[in-house]
Amino acid sequence: MSTKTKSRRTPRSKAEAAVTERTDPSQESAKSVGSSTGTPHPKRHRHVHLFILICLVYLCTLTDRAFDWIGDGQVMFDTAVSLHEFGELGISTEAVQDLSEGGGTTDYYGKYGLGFSVVEQVPLMLVTPVEKLFGEGRSNVLFPMMNMLLTALTALLVALCLQEMGFRSRTQWWAALGFAFATPAWPYVSYDFSEPLQALCLIAAFWFSLRVKEARQPSFLYPALVGFALGFAVLSKQQLVILIPAYALYLWMCLVGGRKQRQRSFGWFMITLGIWGVAIAALNHHRFGSIFASGYGDIGMKFSTPILTGLYGLLIGPNKGIVFYAPLTVLVPWSLWKMRRQYRIELAYFASVFALHILLISKWYSWEGGASWGPRLLMSVIPLMVVCAAMLLDSVRWSFHAFVGCVAAGIIINLLGVSMNFLVWLNAVDTNRIRLPLETRGRPTREYIEHDGKRWFRPYLATNFVPVLSPILGHAWLLRLRYRGIPFRLNGTNDGSTPMVSYPPIEINLGLIKDPFFQSHLRSPHFWLYETVTHQPREEIFTYPVYGISIERQGDRAVAKGDGERAVECYARAAELVPNYASPALKLSRLQVERGRVGEGVETLRRYLSRGDRNQDQERAVRLQLARIYEKAGYREAALDQFQSYLTLQPSEENRTAIERHMAELTGVHR
């Protein structure tokens, strides 16, 4: 009886299924009828439904208020805009401070891979029509929607990989849903990290390899696609090159046919990968002056973390440990052991990929991935871990309960990350002005100060090491304040009256959070679909299209390079895309006046002032600059009018005194 049960629950390969179908006349007849009538395969319908379901949930829980607020994402986005607008890769030094100077040029480049910037070309093409149709800032949602599609497609590939390996539909669905909602993939939909793209590339390369394995005849297509997906993964993050040997070995073991046929098919993989290698080397030389440079400089080779420290923090540490943020990974060692006989080459593949990736990240000085939700740098291999864990479901009867329990725990934990921007907790913790002593090694000296023989770190860095400061606990605490008011309710003003709260080993004063971005995310998750349907008003800082702000930074880059014409063009585009934001208009007007086009400079500022929904601080800057232009052009009466309008906008007492004195001098000269 037990033997029958085990046999019934053991996955079959596609080849075995095909033999069964050929020996069963009724099944073969049904198959031929379905093919002749053009009826779609029912399994394809199920996978389409799975993809749509995941997209719908993502659509209900994504926010368009997180893009372009993180340094990594801003650099990649500015690179995407530079590529989209000018076919170039340079960005402004104003984007972030951590830039790499190009080899022998006056341009600057982001240190990150180009894969995500290439993918962002798709939503960039839609920005202008969306802005014109739906209003200012409405195009921002295009970018998390792109991430939504990438992540949902990754979840779909998780299911398809299990299908290729012969697992049941139920297993495929549970694995796909587990990845989609019980891992950091869910919160990351709303952020502009490149890890979702990396994860898609790696799982796609694995799926193409499985297609090679199941092919009845040698083929060049799927080996070439394996090379393409791997190459794009390396384009997105060059450190992933370390995984190529594991993929190459697995692909070779999957190839069918004689030795020469296998060599020929494997050659297509190598050719495609080689083309990517040449392209990436050329891009590195163009950006950083060396084919081997990645832009990270010395820190790219700073593997200073003790291996046990990194492994503990990445795998089981309560602050960043993957077992907390993706509980399904707990089942991976068990699955590898159980599948060691039936799936030997998959076992070798999974073990080598996980070991190579985890050991590399564990040694890097910033193993936690900086400011992020969970172990960001492990995100690229989490889909493969979910596939590995799901292999238990068809082989071990009671594994289903463990799998469902892990999925439920993962959903609860990652819902905390969906409901609040992860930067808010770091900002709240950092309101504690006292540094914390940490016994940790391998960190760069800029992160701490030494005193009394100890290393003292800022509180936000301590969230990676001190268990009670774990973001999981922090988000739960902040959400309790938001929704239950215990011990007080977070209100919309946050005027400094919020009491100091003891959160051992620190104290948190939420009243010190003055930044509108953080205040906004303290109050609400700002789910885009809900706020759009209910016509919720948007704070001013979120009405600016990130595309327009990036175009303005391209104008700054042009000014730094001495290209005045391009700067004028960029500022004009930015002023058009962000008409209620004064900065592009001020810069454009200044350039126009410097180039002798005073009338155009005046018109640019007057166009901004003609809008009814102006910010007072920005209007003050515009009127002051307009007054200066009139004064230099000899129009004293017009200048005095603008100075007077400036004074009505309540400037600081010091500025008011200076302007009144200057107006008195102008009036005296005029008389």
Side-chain angles (χ1 to χ4, degrees):
M1 180 175 179
S2 60
T3 304
K4 290 182 180 180
T5 303
K6 182 176 181 180
S7 174
R8 179 172 57 86
R9 297 184 64 81
T10 300
R12 298 181 305 167
S13 68
K14 291 179 70 178
E16 292 173 332
V19 171
T20 303
E21 289 177 0
R22 286 197 299 270
T23 57
D24 188 340
S26 62
Q27 289 187 7
E28 187 170 346
S29 174
K31 182 179 179 181
S32 62
V33 170
S35 301
S36 63
T37 58
T39 304
H41 197 286
K43 287 186 177 180
R44 294 178 183 175
H45 275 166
R46 288 199 293 267
H47 289 138
V48 171
H49 296 159
L50 174 65
F51 180 79
I52 293 174
L53 172 64
I54 293 172
C55 285
L56 286 175
V57 177
Y58 280 166
L59 190 62
C60 292
T61 56
L62 65 79
T63 175
D64 62 341
R65 302 193 178 200
F67 260 72
D68 208 44
W69 289 94
I70 304 171
D72 296 14
Q74 188 180 107
V75 169
M76 290 185 286
F77 183 72
D78 281 358
T79 303
V81 171
S82 180
L83 182 62
H84 182 76
E85 291 291 324
F86 311 111
E88 299 172 357
L89 300 173
I91 61 177
S92 169
T93 56
E94 296 300 321
V96 291
Q97 295 179 356
D98 194 4
L99 297 171
S100 296
E101 187 172 355
T105 72
T106 58
D107 223 339
Y108 287 82
Y109 301 93
K111 65 184 180 182
Y112 307 106
L114 296 174
F116 194 59
S117 299
V118 171
V119 169
E120 286 183 313
Q121 301 305 304
V122 176
L124 282 174
M125 292 188 291
L126 303 174
V127 168
T128 300
V130 169
E131 287 290 313
K132 290 180 179 179
L133 284 173
F134 301 105
E136 188 177 343
R138 296 299 178 181
S139 65
N140 291 346
V141 75
L142 294 172
F143 303 102
M145 281 185 175
M146 190 69 207
N147 252 2
M148 174 190 78
L149 295 175
L150 294 176
T151 308
L153 185 56
T154 303
L156 177 61
L157 284 173
V158 167
L160 292 176
C161 286
L162 289 164
Q163 182 189 43
E164 289 295 326
M165 297 167 70
F167 288 86
R168 294 182 299 176
S169 295
R170 187 189 74 166
T171 299
Q172 300 167 30
W173 271 70
W174 272 106
L177 295 174
F179 167 76
F181 305 114
T183 73
W186 191 8
Y188 279 17
V189 167
S190 296
Y191 298 108
D192 44 2
F193 292 125
S194 65
E195 275 70 24
L197 175 61
Q198 298 167 31
L200 174 61
C201 291
L202 293 184
I203 191 74
F206 177 56
W207 183 63
F208 291 138
S209 299
L210 289 171
R211 298 289 291 175
V212 170
K213 183 181 179 182
E214 298 296 336
R216 298 182 181 181
Q217 296 179 350
S219 170
F220 71 88
L221 176 61
Y222 287 114
L225 289 175
V226 174
F228 180 85
L230 272 183
F232 205 87
V234 176
L235 180 69
S236 303
K237 193 178 188 73
Q238 291 193 38
Q239 287 81 352
L240 295 179
V241 71
I242 195 175
L243 302 182
I244 290 179
Y247 275 89
L249 179 60
Y250 181 67
L251 177 62
W252 176 258
M253 298 172 71
C254 288
L255 290 171
V256 297
R259 185 174 183 84
K260 289 186 177 180
Q261 292 174 320
R262 296 172 72 190
Q263 289 175 345
R264 192 178 297 114
S265 296
F266 192 77
W268 283 104
F269 163 74
M270 295 300 297
I271 289 172
T272 308
L273 202 57
I275 292 173
W276 271 119
V278 171
I280 292 171
L283 289 168
N284 286 343
H285 187 272
H286 171 71
R287 293 195 295 166
F288 313 121
S290 170
I291 63 174
F292 300 108
S294 66
Y296 278 80
D298 294 337
I299 65 170
M301 301 301 295
K302 193 175 180 62
F303 295 99
S304 55
T305 301
I307 187 66
L308 293 180
T309 299
L311 287 174
Y312 170 79
L314 278 176
L315 300 181
I316 60 175
N319 299 74
K320 289 285 187 174
I322 194 172
V323 299
F324 292 96
Y325 292 89
L328 282 172
T329 57
V330 173
L331 305 178
V332 169
W334 184 23
S335 180
L336 290 174
W337 176 254
K338 285 291 184 182
M339 299 299 164
R340 67 189 184 280
R341 295 176 181 173
Q342 189 175 359
Y343 292 92
R344 290 182 178 179
I345 62 173
E346 281 75 24
L347 170 63
Y349 163 77
F350 285 132
S352 58
V353 168
F354 299 158
L356 288 171
H357 194 69
I358 292 173
L359 289 174
L360 178 71
I361 301 303
S362 297
K363 281 294 296 177
W364 200 41
Y365 85 94
S366 184
W367 53 266
E368 78 286 348
S372 59
W373 177 255
R376 176 171 64 90
L377 300 182
L378 294 186
M379 183 63 211
S380 52
V381 297
I382 285 180
L384 297 172
M385 290 183 171
V386 173
V387 171
C388 183
M391 293 169 68
L392 283 171
L393 291 178
D394 283 10
S395 304
V396 181
R397 181 181 295 275
W398 49 272
S399 64
F400 179 76
H401 302 289
F403 194 93
V404 172
C406 290
V407 169
I411 290 174
I412 293 171
I413 290 172
N414 287 287
L415 188 58
L416 298 175
V418 170
S419 301
M420 178 165 286
N421 187 296
F422 68 83
L423 291 174
V424 175
W425 172 241
L426 302 183
N427 194 266
V429 166
D430 226 33
T431 60
N432 183 86
R433 301 302 175 88
I434 302 175
R435 290 175 177 261
L436 301 178
L438 298 177
E439 294 295 331
T440 183
R441 296 291 181 266
R443 307 300 297 190
T445 55
R446 68 174 182 272
E447 291 185 352
Y448 61 85
I449 59 175
E450 293 195 50
H451 182 68
D452 292 337
K454 297 180 180 179
R455 296 179 177 183
W456 298 78
F457 290 79
R458 292 269 299 273
Y460 81 90
L461 287 167
T463 60
N464 299 318
F465 304 99
V466 180
V468 295
L469 296 182
S470 167
I472 295 174
L473 298 177
H475 278 228
W477 181 71
L478 288 175
L479 290 170
R480 188 178 68 163
L481 296 183
R482 178 195 291 173
Y483 295 116
R484 298 188 61 189
I486 302 173
F488 58 88
R489 184 177 294 277
L490 294 174
N491 54 47
T493 58
N494 200 20
D495 56 3
S497 59
T498 305
M500 181 80 74
V501 181
S502 178
Y503 195 97
I506 63 173
E507 289 187 329
I508 296 177
N509 186 354
L510 295 175
L512 296 178
I513 299 180
K514 301 297 184 181
D515 190 294
F517 174 83
F518 297 110
Q519 288 186 357
S520 175
H521 282 283
L522 269 174
R523 293 192 295 267
S524 168
H526 295 293
F527 293 142
W528 172 82
L529 185 61
Y530 171 78
E531 292 192 343
T532 300
V533 171
T534 58
H535 303 287
Q536 294 290 317
R538 294 166 64 89
E539 291 92 335
E540 184 182 15
I541 60 171
F542 297 111
T543 61
Y544 303 145
V546 294
Y547 181 63
I549 303 301
S550 183
I551 288 288
E552 180 190 358
R553 291 195 289 264
Q554 283 294 321
D556 298 340
R557 172 192 171 218
V559 169
K561 295 180 66 176
D563 191 345
E565 285 300 324
R566 176 179 287 189
V568 168
E569 177 187 348
C570 289
Y571 291 144
R573 291 274 321 276
E576 179 184 356
L577 284 166
V578 198
N580 198 36
Y581 183 44
S583 180
L586 288 167
K587 294 175 180 178
L588 175 60
S589 175
R590 190 178 300 115
L591 272 182
Q592 289 169 331
V593 171
E594 289 176 359
R595 299 170 74 83
R597 291 143 56 177
V598 177
E600 294 180 15
V602 170
E603 181 60 28
T604 296
L605 297 180
R606 295 189 68 86
R607 191 181 304 116
Y608 171 82
L609 293 173
S610 66
R611 291 183 57 87
D613 49 347
R614 300 187 299 270
N615 175 281
Q616 188 177 84
D617 292 335
Q618 296 186 51
E619 181 181 353
R620 192 158 46 230
V622 169
R623 291 199 178 276
L624 185 59
Q625 182 164 312
L626 186 57
R628 300 291 189 192
I629 294 174
Y630 279 139
E631 182 182 352
K632 289 182 179 179
Y635 300 105
R636 292 189 180 88
E637 291 296 335
L640 287 169
D641 287 342
Q642 292 301 323
F643 280 130
Q644 186 60 50
S645 298
Y646 171 83
L647 293 177
T648 63
L649 296 172
Q650 301 177 348
S652 66
E653 194 60 36
E654 181 181 355
N655 288 344
R656 172 180 292 277
T657 301
I659 292 300
E660 287 177 343
R661 186 184 304 115
H662 188 68
M663 289 177 65
E665 293 173 356
L666 276 179
T667 304
V669 171
H670 183 59
R671 290 175 181 173

